[in-house]
Amino acid sequence: MKRHSSIRRFKASLYASIAMMSGWATAHAQEAGASNADGNEIIVTARRRVESIQDTPISVTAIAPSQLEGAAALTIGDLQGAAPNVLITIAPTGAAAANASIRGIAFADIEKSFDPAVGVNVDGVYIGTSTGQMLDFFDIASIEILRGPQGTLFGRNTIAGVINVRRTRPTGEWGGKFEASMGRYGSFGARAILNVPIVEGVLAAKLFEMHQQSDGFYKTIGTGQKRGGSNNENFGGSLLFTPSDKFDALLTLEQQQQKFDPITSSLTRAGDAFCDYLPTGLCGGNITDDLYNVFPVGEHIGRYKAPAATLEMNLQAGGVKISSVTSYRESKETQQQDFSTAGLYLARRDQKYHQISQELRAAGDIGSKIDYVSGLYYFKSKYHILQHTLVFGAPVPYQDTVGKSESYAAFLDLNWEILPRVRVSGGGRWTHDEKSMFTKLGGTSLTLSPTTKSWSKFTPKAGIDYRPNDDMMFYGSWSRGYRSGGFNGRGLSAFSASQPYDPETVDSFEVGLKSEWLDRKLSINVAAFHTNYKSIQQSTTVALPAPSTGNETVVTNAASAKIKGLEMDLTLRPVEGLTLRSSVGYTKSKFGGFIVTQPVTTGVTLGGAPITENRNFDFSGVDLIYAPKITFSVNGEYTHPVDVGNFSGKIKLNAGYRYLARYDQQIAADPALYITAVQAGSSTVIVPRNDPRLRSDPQNLVDASISYIWDMNTAGAKGRVTIYGRNLLDDRGSNTAFTVAAWPTLWGFSSAREPSTYGVQVGFEF
């Protein structure tokens, strides 16, 4: 009783604080990614403070807008491999959806009942689902990739890390930025930003529109028709109110929408249940070139619409900075596809989702030796999914699920300079989560009462850093991350639809060095980490009796794991105009105690019917998903002044190479290795590896561009023409891969990596 009473008091206090303080916030900090006068110092806000990246005692990579422009990057997916131990792939079963992995920790699922393992924050707002995370990169001020759990300042569901994105703010002056692009596969883009002063020094506006479309790079077997196309829009506006230098308020209204052709490739092999019923070419193909040939049946539909509103208000109240970020986001999705089964399995999913969030922060100094950030946070979401499915043309019970989530937290983070050049840091976050879910299977008697479960967790952090001189810092830290428990949004039985899974936790130990050399022309940042990953929320496929679809994917707390690794970021400016960047990441990971009990068809019959029995499967020897042992990148950017006629300008050359070692994309046993053990009647089947078709081959990705940028007048207007190429080696293979069901596998499907592409961009800025 005391515990529930304290929770109610905290909740009441949080609501009251929001009501009283919603108009307060800190004075707006210098935008992350900015440089000082010498052009070398990078400013970040990774710890909710404005500080140099070299003074920030965590592993963080800052991506400057000029890097994105030089690489002709379009979405967050183009960051894959650009930072150590970071993967970001496109999920083929969701709208604008990302599968993000940092340091070998990922959760590749688009279902809104599940929480991402990597937190994506846009302008201080946490995006609560994987869908909608594929952001357009045209209107970006800075991107910071924080590696390791960020539970104290960024909250739950950041056990792997955070991708922190800040967009540009209204400038208060007339100005704009426009760009048009054309490329291979019918790619066309048009983007525009217009800054408008309304009341000088008091009220300013920014309008933005971003459009990107493509015909797709998949080819239909027999006709050659292009498939996989998309049409993306992101538009809106911002109002900035600055009545004094002590207060400002920024309101952003926007909408993200997408129409797309949700095409996937076939991974089905001989032995899969669907293989004998598929057209020629859809069973037994390779996992490179054959992935680009498809045979869709029926109408494939993908639609997504997500309006959002964010209000950020800032107040400097004496020596205390107080911040408020309020946000509302909703989405509607419709998706219909056959998942490369030529119509044998056809599903239509209609989803609605909305989230609201409120964060209040106070920051300041205590004396001359201590600084702090503290705050309160509230998050609430609701989703509804209605799925209709046809299997071999026959309808199966439709799924109708409603899920709700509510979370609130309090946090404190401190820095204390205990000795000259020595700081200790620490803090923690207390979070309370409550989730509920209601499921009905149409056409059956299964209607479950709403099921509710709550969890509370304290996630602390402690660290120390030492600066022997102004160009070097050593640091060490321990932090704990937490991902909320929940319910199985795809549960198709009375047990799975009502049985919750528990939270998972991460304890991460890290030591690192940040250093600058050669009069700050060279920076080298290195880190070593060791992660204890407990109660892992793992997707598992189990068989179901009729009249279901025959299987369901559920999440259970199946295992633990240990992950350790090394990371390095290097930046070198050897001569004027030339910048070289490189990153290296290494991870070594291993499951522990990963045993799953699942029903299998043994091959033994009774009365002509196959016998199904439970078996224990030991997955401890398989690889974690999206956890390549090595990631490596190197990028060069060279700018040289050039005069063409009456125009003064510069040539900008950009070239980069990214290497990603092989990695598995799903936990699913290799059928060739376990079938003998199953039929032999072993009580525990040792699974030494995942299904090989779920393994991405090593990737060698080369990108390059050349730009001419010139002054169009003396008022500062500039023009730009860029010719670019991505994946110039035409490295082909799977992007995200799945097999459906087990013992036996029904079929497999995948999305393919973008093949070699090229194009031209024309831009104008004033």
Side-chain angles (χ1 to χ4, degrees), residues 190-209:
R191 301 171 175 84
I193 299 172
L194 179 64
N195 280 289
V196 180
I198 299 175
V199 179
E200 185 177 356
V202 176
L203 188 63
K206 180 190 76 172
L207 304 175
F208 58 90
E209 158 68 23

Side-chain angles (χ1 to χ4, degrees), residues 439-605:
T439 295
K440 176 182 179 180
L441 291 185
T444 74
S445 59
L446 178 59
T447 300
L448 300 176
S449 300
T451 305
T452 302
K453 178 77 173 179
S454 61
W455 303 269
S456 296
K457 192 69 176 179
F458 179 67
T459 50
K461 179 178 182 178
I464 186 170
D465 61 80
Y466 166 59
R467 297 190 68 92
N469 55 57
D470 291 340
D471 297 327
M472 188 174 295
M473 180 180 71
F474 297 92
Y475 70 92
S477 67
W478 162 73
S479 58
R480 174 168 293 166
Y482 150 77
R483 190 152 69 110
S484 172
F487 293 91
N488 286 287
R490 284 197 297 268
L492 300 178
S493 66
F495 177 78
S496 63
S498 60
Q499 183 71 16
Y501 54 87
D502 289 325
E504 61 182 17
T505 60
V506 164
D507 284 284
S508 179
F509 303 86
E510 180 177 324
V511 293
L513 164 67
K514 298 199 170 185
S515 62
E516 294 180 301
W517 309 82
L518 305 177
D519 195 24
R520 299 192 175 183
K521 290 185 174 67
L522 170 65
S523 66
I524 302 175
N525 299 336
V526 297
F529 63 90
H530 185 281
T531 300
N532 292 325
Y533 194 8
K534 301 175 183 178
S535 299
I536 298 176
Q537 296 169 8
Q538 184 61 57
S539 293
T540 306
T541 303
V542 298
L544 285 173
S548 74
T549 58
N551 69 92
E552 65 176 346
T553 301
V554 298
V555 172
T556 57
N557 298 97
S560 62
K562 293 187 182 299
I563 309 171
K564 55 186 177 182
L566 299 170
E567 296 171 342
M568 182 187 73
D569 275 311
L570 180 148
T571 301
L572 174 64
R573 300 177 180 86
V575 295
E576 184 177 354
L578 176 62
T579 300
L580 302 174
R581 302 180 182 91
S582 181
S583 71
V584 181
Y586 168 80
T587 62
K588 183 177 182 181
S589 57
K590 181 176 177 57
F591 278 118
F594 189 177
I595 297 177
V596 178
T597 301
Q598 294 184 330
V600 299
T601 301
T602 63
V604 179
T605 60

